[in-house]
Amino acid sequence: MNMETKVGNKYQATEILSGFADTYFGFFSYIYPTNFKIMRKSLALLIAGILLTATVTANSEADKKFTDWKENTFISQLWAMNPVWASQQGFHKYDAVLSIPDEAGMKSSLAFLNETRIKLKEVNTDMLSDANLTDYKLIQNYVLSGLFYQNEFKEYEWNPASYNVGDAIDYVINNNPAPLDEKLRNLSSRLEKVPAYYAAAKHNINKPTQEHTRLAIMQGDGLLSFFTDVFPDSLKLSKLSVTEKDAFNKNAVAAKKAIEDYVAWLKALQGKFTAENTRPYAIGQAMYAKKFNYDIQSATSAQEMYMKAMARKTELHRDMYQLTASLWPQYMKGTPMPQDTLGAIRAMINKLSEKHCKPEDFMATIEKQMPELVQFINNHNLITLDPKKPLKVRKTPEYMAGVAGASINSPGPYDKEGNTYYNVTPLTSYKPEKAESYLREYNNYVLQILNIHEAIPGHYVQLIYSNRNPSVIKTIFGNGAMIEGWACYAERMMIEAGYHKSPEMQLFYDKWNLREVCNFLLDYNVQTYGWNTKEVGVLLVNEGFQQSAEAEEKFKRATLSQVQLASYFAGLTEILELRDEVKKKLGDKFDLKAFHEQFLSYGSAPVKEIRKLMLK
Ligand code: ZN
Ligand code: ZN
């Protein structure tokens, strides 16, 4: 397998790129991929020489030494060990390299992790600035989770879909501003390694899950389009010599054959699957607890967080029922309210979902909401927004089409003057029924919440704050639960402050929040108890008021990934708890705006580390 794809953000980013994007924000892509794309150029520049302009306020010799080590030694080694990840991040020195996941490859990867662990032990963390301390914790988690993934989680044995050269090819061609000929030479040497890569894959796989095998077969077939379309077209445009073109073609033919062989081999395995030679998709309670600790980096255990999610579900149902009862006479005159609590809520949600904009007005509606959000935040003194960095709503560019209906494109930490875009795919391209179902979901109420989450003061504002304190480490290892948690917290905070205050708005916020809760419960139950499609249906459709098609997709995704779906609720919960603690500590002196600004000033560090710094 690609040993690089197991850790932290890289894994999450890969998850999206390899096709099972978050269906929660199915329309709005997870923040990392687009963000990475924008950052790549600046990151390459940084590593090429701007390292001199380190921004840390060094307050000790030890601090300076740590800065030097992390920015020079550590990052250089990290990229050398992870050439595909480096290409993705815009560091192209290793574009011609592909790591082979054989015994030697795994050994050197383990050695790097162990050496880094020893190096970290030598650092006196008391002497580090806050900025370096959070970076230290992020590197430490990278090392410890890397060791966990390799020694215990062992996805390389059971997940055939973790072997995929799509990224290795894609980032060389599409992520590098270099001339085409240079890119093709790099690609040619990567392709040369592909047969050895898949040979190692076959050697490693032992009792795979049926679900990941199916996914790998699907993705393998998808890879072949590189060979039939992209490569011939690129070669035609290039000025490579005949000898170079021949070499490229030879490597490409061998690589294509290796992929086809791998898929055929998986299909043969699949034909002979039994309960004995496969394993269930559920990783089990003990493994889940560990993965939760490494991925979320929460101060709370998975089990405790599960109890909190259960309690929140009950609370939300109670609140939603009260709201439904209060709205009933107004909207359902003459119809008796069903005895069944959940049925009554569902009827009210269905009724109110009809309030939505026309497909042709979708973009304009979003555009109009941006200044309203800014005004509200300013009037209520919630957080300082930078008027010099307005968010531009635009039609999703062609090259990004198919990735997601919309996304945030933000400049990286070293490209501060760049624009941030809110890409929206116009619904006029949808069939009428699809547009209608979509608009019922993103109705007048939910669209507001979505804009808060994605844009203001959610992901977009968080990125602006985190870019003020540029740290390559925080860019690479940014904590997903903090990032998603902040966007979810932004929704809650705006509703609390009274944004578009009404019982209808509250009802839809509750539904939205319930989805965050259900994501957690789904992930936890599917991965620890092996819940099946029927049990999932009860949770998502009956109790979560979701559509059954959406629930099916969610279930499929929950069998293929672990813990990522839990990050929304976990991050949100930790931020709310931290806010309570700070309130308690400061009493009358508590200031919401100051809390937000301090919280965001640490970059995308885990909430538990931010907590330590804020309560210090
Ligand atoms: Zn309608
Ligand atoms: Zn998000």
Side-chain angles (χ1 to χ4, degrees), residues 353-357 435-437 439-440:
S353 296
E354 200 34 60
K355 296 190 180 191
H356 60 73
C357 67
E436 171 66 17
S437 134
L439 286 166
R440 287 181 62 87

Side-chain angles (χ1 to χ4, degrees), residues 196-212:
Y197 177 92
Y198 282 107
K202 288 193 217 169
H203 184 261
N204 292 344
I205 289 172
N206 171 30
K207 288 181 80 177
T209 80
Q210 305 202 15
E211 291 73 17
H212 292 95

